[in-house]
Amino acid sequence: MDVERLKAILEDVKEGRCTVEEALDSLRYLPFEDLGFAKVDHHRQLRNGYPEVIYCQGKRPEHVKAIVERMMSRGDRNILATRVSHEIYEAIKEVTPDAEYHEIARIVVVKRCEVPLVKGKIAVVSAGTSDLPVAEEAAITAEVLGNRVERVYDVGVAGLHRLLAYVKVLSQANVVITVAGMEGALASVVGGLVDKPVIAVPTSVGYGANFGGLSALLTMLNSCASGVAVVNIDNGFGAGYIASLINRLAQQS
């Protein structure tokens, strides 16, 4: 935040030239910090309720390190970085040694304060063990955002009895994330069993005709079950974030 701009806004409020609500609206979209290679959005938390999340795949370790350093210096609360390699994790640790690396999910969390827990639960369901990286990306994202997460893993349609043993668990959640590769049928089955929104995540797990997750994506998009919405292939983060928004809205109702 530019100090002089902030002072001017505060003076306007003090002198009655603008209301508190108008001042808040002015602050919602300011500022960002230009690092040359990145423009760090320090006010994402004010607008969206959580600081900017760092997508690390394709970024240089020194760039991620600098972004984390600037976010911490500006007082951003907990920091979440996704698709993190070991090399980038080591770079982040040079800034903050307490960075926590979730290797399966490829997520780094810098926890600086406790986030109040939402009362409701999010269920994360995976078809197979090979889907765990994406499922864990969704689960940890949701947990970092302050949600209770129930994990139900390796319950794909090849052994339907495994899923049916957890129907009660799924029905107690406010939202269900289903993660599946191969043909991606799990989302439709879960959607037909629960009266909660289902976020389907296709994964790139599968043999050649899976086409890197395209077959699962198309199956989920063509689901005959009501209440199923689909995110992009391998996008566990997106599913976890959307599920968190739904879960918080359910608490407010």
Side-chain angles (χ1 to χ4, degrees):
M1 167 60 68
D2 179 82
V3 175
E4 295 305 316
R5 177 66 188 279
L6 179 57
K7 284 182 178 178
I9 293 172
L10 294 177
E11 285 293 334
D12 285 343
V13 173
K14 180 181 177 181
E15 299 299 326
R17 290 189 290 267
C18 76
T19 66
V20 172
E21 288 74 22
E22 289 171 340
L24 183 60
D25 285 339
S26 298
L27 296 173
R28 286 188 192 280
Y29 300 97
L30 294 173
F32 64 86
E33 184 174 4
D34 193 346
L35 304 183
F37 54 84
K39 293 177 175 62
V40 185
D41 184 359
H42 292 297
H43 271 233
R44 186 78 56 91
Q45 182 170 319
L46 182 61
R47 300 196 315 275
N48 294 351
Y50 195 82
E52 182 173 11
V53 175
I54 308 168
Y55 178 77
C56 297
Q57 190 169 322
K59 289 185 174 68
R60 297 176 63 88
E62 60 267 29
H63 289 169
V64 175
K65 177 182 175 181
I67 292 169
V68 171
E69 189 172 34
R70 297 313 303 155
M71 290 179 71
M72 293 187 67
S73 70
R74 287 299 189 101
D76 285 341
R77 298 193 306 172
N78 299 336
I79 298 172
L80 178 64
T82 66
R83 300 300 169 93
V84 180
S85 65
H86 277 281
E87 185 180 8
I88 289 178
Y89 168 53
E90 292 298 329
I92 294 174
K93 279 207 305 183
E94 294 177 9
V95 178
T96 172
D98 58 347
E100 183 179 1
Y101 186 40
H102 300 269
E103 187 171 5
I104 294 177
R106 293 180 293 170
I107 280 179
V108 164
V109 179
V110 179
K111 192 173 183 180
R112 308 177 73 191
C113 67
E114 293 295 332
V115 177
L117 284 175
V118 181
K119 291 182 180 179
K121 286 185 180 180
I122 295 170
V124 179
V125 185
S126 79
T129 305
S130 297
D131 299 306
L132 281 184
V134 178
E136 275 297 287
E137 184 179 59
I140 293 170
T141 296
E143 287 177 334
V144 170
L145 295 174
N147 301 275
R148 296 177 174 87
V149 174
E150 190 81 41
R151 291 166 170 81
V152 180
Y153 289 168
D154 196 23
V155 291
V157 298
L160 197 56
H161 56 291
R162 298 174 300 177
L163 175 64
L164 296 177
Y166 291 93
V167 171
K168 184 176 181 180
V169 172
L170 303 185
S171 65
Q172 291 173 341
N174 283 332
V175 55
V176 181
I177 299 171
T178 60
V179 183
M182 300 290 185
E183 83 296 330
L186 180 64
S188 291
V189 175
V190 172
L193 291 174
V194 300
D195 62 348
K196 308 297 169 58
V198 175
I199 303 172
V201 189
T203 72
S204 51
V205 171
Y207 294 104
N210 169 264
F211 297 112
L214 183 59
S215 63
L217 172 64
L218 293 176
T219 298
M220 292 171 173
L221 286 171
N222 286 282
S223 174
C224 63
S226 302
V228 176
V230 188
V231 298
N232 210 343
I233 298 168
D234 292 335
N235 189 10
F237 163 75
Y241 203 105
I242 294 168
S244 176
L245 294 174
I246 294 172
N247 196 33
R248 288 188 178 278
L249 287 173
Q251 179 177 262
Q252 295 171 13
S253 61

